[in-house]
Amino acid sequence: MTSYLIDLLLVVALVVTALRCGRMHKELRALRGTDLAGALVAAEGSLNRAAEALVAARCEGVDTVRSLERRLVEARQVADELGDLVDRARFRADGGAAAASDIEADGYRDFFQAAQDRLRASLAR
């Protein structure tokens, strides 16, 4: 009696498996009939265009950063020149004693700032 129950269960499982295999076979046949190769070629073209756009954006970004670095160096130079002019004006207004120590301290700061700017400009190339 138990063996008949097990046999019946196995036959039912075999029928379900056969039905599923038949359905999968129909789906595979339908998939082969579609233009899968054309879809893959179109997808490849889209991916290539996206990659080219990313490369172009990267190059433009690098150029923009280099341009901004150059402008930053120029702006610092102009700011330093304006600072020197203000220091000279203070020196003339104060009589020279108090402003001389400020000019000497600013000279060292300017030296290190110029060295840092040259380093950044050389790295930007």
Side-chain angles (χ1 to χ4, degrees):
M1 183 77 177
T2 313
S3 68
Y4 292 125
L5 184 62
I6 293 174
D7 288 341
L8 179 65
L9 184 65
L10 289 175
V11 168
V12 170
L14 182 63
V15 169
V16 170
T17 304
L19 291 174
R20 292 292 297 158
C21 285
R23 182 178 289 180
M24 188 171 28
H25 181 68
K26 287 179 184 177
E27 289 176 5
L28 285 174
R29 193 177 326 146
L31 186 61
R32 285 185 193 139
T34 62
D35 191 20
L36 185 60
L40 288 176
V41 168
E44 181 184 5
S46 296
L47 287 174
N48 287 338
R49 284 192 303 275
E52 290 171 1
L54 285 175
V55 168
R58 181 189 172 275
C59 290
E60 290 175 6
V62 168
D63 291 341
T64 302
V65 167
R66 287 180 181 163
S67 174
L68 287 174
E69 282 288 331
R70 279 187 240 116
R71 299 292 176 138
L72 184 62
V73 169
E74 292 172 4
R76 284 186 179 150
Q77 290 173 350
V78 170
D80 289 342
E81 290 174 8
L82 286 174
D84 290 341
L85 290 174
V86 169
D87 289 340
R88 287 183 197 165
R90 283 186 188 154
F91 182 77
R92 289 183 182 159
D94 292 342
S101 63
D102 291 340
I103 291 174
E104 185 176 317
D106 284 342
Y108 288 120
R109 183 182 59 83
D110 292 340
F111 172 76
F112 288 118
Q113 187 66 40
Q116 185 180 12
D117 290 340
R118 285 193 302 266
L119 177 64
R120 284 188 180 163
S122 69
L123 290 176
R125 287 186 237 149

